[in-house]
Amino acid sequence: MHFYIRCVDKPGHLAVRKANRDAHLAYIKDGFADRIVAAGPTLDPDLEGMNGSVFIIEFDNQAEAEEFAANDPYGKAGLFESVIIRPFKKVF
């Protein structure tokens, strides 16, 4: 089953994002790359700064998706203001 995960950064936390980016990317690549349909940062209107993350990723259930989000180095570093996890149906 696919899940949509939307993470919104806390305002003024770009330094936290940058400091944890390598660990975040390693976490994704080492354990979840084969499950990802789409993933990447959301951008500020000027297209320069990052302000959140979006994943469409496959898990067996909601609990696995929640565990993934909870163990993301960004989440552990306190980067996110909010995290929304919803089942997602891929149509196209």
Side-chain angles (χ1 to χ4, degrees):
M1 171 182 297
H2 292 119
F3 287 85
Y4 165 84
I5 301 174
R6 169 74 169 111
C7 307
V8 177
D9 294 0
K10 292 176 183 172
H13 277 64
L14 184 57
V16 174
R17 175 176 278 276
K18 288 181 178 180
N20 291 278
R21 186 170 170 84
D22 289 342
H24 164 76
L25 293 175
Y27 175 71
I28 303 304
K29 289 178 187 176
D30 293 344
F32 302 96
D34 61 334
R35 299 176 180 205
I36 294 173
V37 175
T42 55
L43 304 175
D44 292 332
D46 63 8
L47 306 179
E48 296 295 322
M50 295 174 279
N51 58 31
S53 300
V54 170
F55 297 90
I56 298 176
I57 187 167
E58 187 174 341
F59 292 106
D60 289 336
N61 53 55
Q62 180 85 22
E64 285 184 8
E66 291 171 3
E67 182 178 350
F68 164 81
N71 288 310
D72 185 323
Y74 281 163
K76 287 184 170 188
L79 175 62
F80 300 133
E81 178 178 78
S82 65
V83 176
I84 296 170
I85 302 172
R86 299 285 187 268
F88 177 83
K89 181 179 178 181
K90 182 178 176 185
V91 176
F92 292 102

